[in-house]
């Protein structure tokens, strides 16, 4: 049981770190043009230098929603981690980690909404590029989506021994 708790804790820490990286770094879409490459994230557009990401007025609300949901997912994931640690010391034996699991499900839902909006609205929209593909931040966000769902289910099923 201790090994299972330690494993869940390590995967949760890894999920929080990957959420931070995927939200902060600017490599959600990568495109190539002429002699270089350009990457686009949630905040900046980078080629040799980085500049503020400019989007059309119809996509601005979508970008703000993606930014908000990714930040909310980080917040809920950190809250769930703190709650798990607190419940380890305060929860009676035989009880389940319901609050931690529910908080991670909210984190999972925020990741799902944020990445789905990005997929629907911004796939292939890399300015000044001729060919494009998804960057590592986009892939990390989907990996965090999977990990947060697995962790939340494990928290809901797991009992304190």
């Amino acid at each position: 049981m201790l090994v299972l708790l330690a494993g869940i804790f390590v995967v949760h820490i890894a999920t929080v770190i990957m959420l931070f990286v995927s939200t902060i770094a600017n490599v959600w879409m990568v495109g190539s043009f002429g002699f270089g490459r350009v990457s686009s994230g949630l905040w900046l557009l980078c080629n040799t230098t980085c500049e503020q990401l400019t989007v059309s007025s119809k996509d601005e609300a979508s970008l703000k929603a993606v930014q908000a949901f990714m930040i909310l997912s980080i917040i809920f994931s950190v809250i769930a981690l703190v709650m798990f640690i607190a419940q380890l010391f305060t929860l009676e034996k035989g009880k389940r980690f319901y609050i931690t699991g529910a908080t991670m499900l909210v984190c999972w839902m925020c990741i799902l909404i944020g990445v789905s909006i990005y997929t629907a609205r911004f796939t292939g929209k890399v300015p000044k590029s001729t060919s494009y593909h998804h960057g590592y931040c986009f892939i990390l966000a989907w990996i965090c989506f999977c990990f947060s769902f697995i962790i939340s289910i494990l928290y809901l099923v797991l009992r304190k021994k």
Side-chain angles (χ1 to χ4, degrees):
M1 180 55 90
L2 185 62
V3 174
L4 182 63
L5 285 174
I8 291 172
F9 183 73
V10 167
V11 172
H12 197 146
I13 294 277
T15 303
V16 170
I17 292 169
M18 287 189 298
L19 275 173
F20 268 110
V21 169
S22 69
T23 304
I24 293 171
N26 291 300
V27 192
W28 281 62
M29 289 297 296
V30 178
S32 55
F33 70 99
F35 298 104
R37 99 184 183 141
V38 60
S39 64
S40 170
L42 300 180
W43 314 99
L44 298 173
L45 177 68
C46 300
N47 46 23
T48 54
T49 61
C50 291
E51 58 191 43
Q52 187 68 30
L53 183 65
T54 55
V55 293
S56 65
S57 60
K58 69 176 185 163
D59 287 338
E60 187 173 358
S62 298
L63 182 64
K64 296 289 182 195
V66 173
Q67 292 170 345
F69 278 114
M70 291 307 291
I71 290 171
L72 281 173
S73 69
I74 292 171
I75 291 169
F76 282 119
S77 185
V78 170
I79 288 172
L81 186 62
V82 170
M83 289 169 63
F84 174 66
I85 293 169
Q87 283 183 325
L88 271 177
F89 297 108
T90 61
L91 203 61
E92 297 174 15
K93 287 189 175 196
K95 300 286 184 177
R96 296 183 191 263
F97 296 93
Y98 287 127
I99 297 172
T100 306
T103 308
M104 274 308 287
L105 277 176
V106 172
C107 169
W108 170 75
M109 198 60 130
C110 288
I111 297 170
L112 173 66
I113 294 169
V115 178
S116 295
I117 292 171
Y118 190 87
T119 303
R121 301 293 288 201
F122 298 103
T123 297
K125 293 186 179 178
V126 182
K128 309 175 205 169
S129 69
T130 55
S131 65
Y132 58 87
H133 63 276
H134 293 290
Y136 71 89
C137 293
F138 182 80
I139 296 165
L140 273 181
W142 279 115
I143 291 171
C144 290
F145 167 76
C146 297
F147 280 177
S148 63
F149 182 71
I150 292 168
I151 291 170
S152 63
I153 298 302
L154 286 175
Y155 281 143
L156 291 173
V157 172
L158 191 66
R159 289 183 186 266
K160 184 177 179 188
K161 299 273 181 181

